[in-house]
Amino acid sequence: MATPTVVDDITEQLAYRIAAGSYQPGELLPSVRQVAAEFGVSTPTANSALGRLTALGFVEARRGLGYLVRDIQLYGGIDTWRFLFRFAHRVPDRAATIFADIIDVDHMLLMQAISAVAAAPRRYDMSRAVHALDRLELLVGDDTSELTDIMAAELHMLRCVFAALGKPGFLSLFNTVGEMLISIPEAGQAFYDPLEPAGHVVLCRKLLDIWQSRADIDLPEIGMIETLVREYHDQVVQTFSELIGAKPATDPAE
């Protein structure tokens, strides 16, 4: 990995202040000169850091005013959230909430794929997904494999499933979600805590074998799969929250 630069350090510190609420949405950040003075750098360096912060979606440059803090809850994009996860242990409650939302999107996409293939198992060619699963199985069987590599291989296998469905919009969204998940160290731990990597291989192999057999899957079976996947994803969210020290979620009705 590249060594962080002064610009990286300033960007991270200012982004953290926004994530932690030190700078509120709609508030002006300190000026370029003030940032340069605080961090002991030149104004071009400070300006580069503020430009980076703008590109990440934390602030908006306003001509004649300066840099306005954005409401990242409303306007944060994929780059904003990916960067925000750098502070998962410092703003755990916000990170846990975002992670839960990401998992909900992941769950929705996965169930859409399962339902689509179940409705027309003879329509889709899963050979690329099977080859990707073979690669995943090799990684899982290698004791030297890192969880991050295993997770990347599993995401690639699922990517091949979405490619087989011929839904570029779904695939694009899945790739975005996958890129974010792979960037979070605790995500791999959370994903393989409820079910070890070998269990993932067994389940994926069973589903792909069913699809390749061209056998129809009836509605009750889909409902059972939905319940099992939902329970698994809920456990992933809970484990992630525990790993970063977030407060337990409370029932809104309480």
Side-chain angles (χ1 to χ4, degrees):
M1 294 180 66
T3 302
T5 65
V6 174
V7 171
D8 293 332
D9 290 339
I10 297 172
T11 302
E12 184 159 326
Q13 290 193 54
L14 293 175
Y16 171 69
R17 293 177 191 178
I18 294 171
S22 298
Y23 298 134
Q24 292 294 313
E27 183 179 343
L28 280 173
L29 278 188
S31 67
V32 174
R33 290 178 183 274
Q34 289 172 321
V35 170
E38 177 183 350
F39 292 98
V41 297
S42 66
T43 52
T45 298
N47 203 46
S48 293
L50 290 168
R52 180 86 56 81
L53 208 60
T54 303
L56 289 168
F58 284 90
V59 298
E60 179 183 350
R62 291 287 183 88
R63 185 180 296 276
L65 286 177
Y67 292 88
L68 204 65
V69 176
R70 300 183 80 198
D71 186 338
I72 57 176
Q73 190 69 30
L74 286 177
Y75 301 108
I78 185 67
D79 289 332
T80 313
W81 301 129
R82 186 186 292 118
F83 199 87
L84 189 144
F85 275 115
R86 292 168 181 251
F87 322 125
H89 288 278
R90 290 191 280 171
V91 286
D93 296 339
R94 169 167 271 180
T97 298
I98 297 168
F99 184 81
D101 286 345
I102 294 170
I103 295 301
D104 280 345
V105 173
D106 185 47
H107 178 85
M108 180 269 292
L109 291 172
L110 183 58
M111 290 312 304
Q112 288 278 356
I114 291 173
S115 298
V117 178
R122 298 166 185 80
R123 180 178 176 183
Y124 306 107
D125 178 7
M126 290 292 165
S127 56
R128 287 180 64 188
V130 172
H131 289 311
L133 180 55
D134 291 340
R135 169 63 178 160
L136 171 62
E137 190 167 16
L138 286 174
L139 278 174
V140 170
D142 184 348
D143 293 336
T144 65
S145 296
E146 298 286 341
L147 277 183
T148 303
D149 295 330
I150 292 172
M151 188 176 179
E154 184 167 352
L155 288 171
H156 179 66
M157 184 271 297
L158 292 171
R159 183 179 296 117
C160 290
V161 171
F162 281 104
L165 294 178
K167 292 183 178 293
F170 277 27
L171 180 56
S172 176
L173 184 54
F174 179 79
N175 282 337
T176 298
V177 170
E179 286 172 14
M180 182 176 289
L181 291 175
I182 208 71
S183 72
I184 310 166
E186 291 81 2
Q189 295 173 260
F191 264 85
Y192 298 116
D193 180 74
L195 185 64
E196 293 184 353
H200 284 239
V201 171
V202 170
L203 288 178
C204 291
R205 182 75 68 190
K206 184 173 180 59
L207 275 175
L208 286 174
D209 284 348
I210 291 172
W211 289 340
Q212 283 202 307
S213 72
R214 312 294 187 178
D216 293 329
I217 303 177
D218 61 28
L219 230 51
E221 288 181 277
I222 293 293
M224 181 183 68
I225 293 171
E226 161 77 27
T227 299
L228 291 173
V229 174
R230 183 69 268 174
E231 289 176 355
Y232 163 74
H233 279 148
D234 288 345
Q235 183 60 54
V236 168
V237 170
Q238 181 180 332
T239 301
F240 179 81
S241 297
E242 292 170 356
L243 286 171
I244 65 172
K247 295 175 184 176
T250 56
D251 188 339
E254 292 180 356

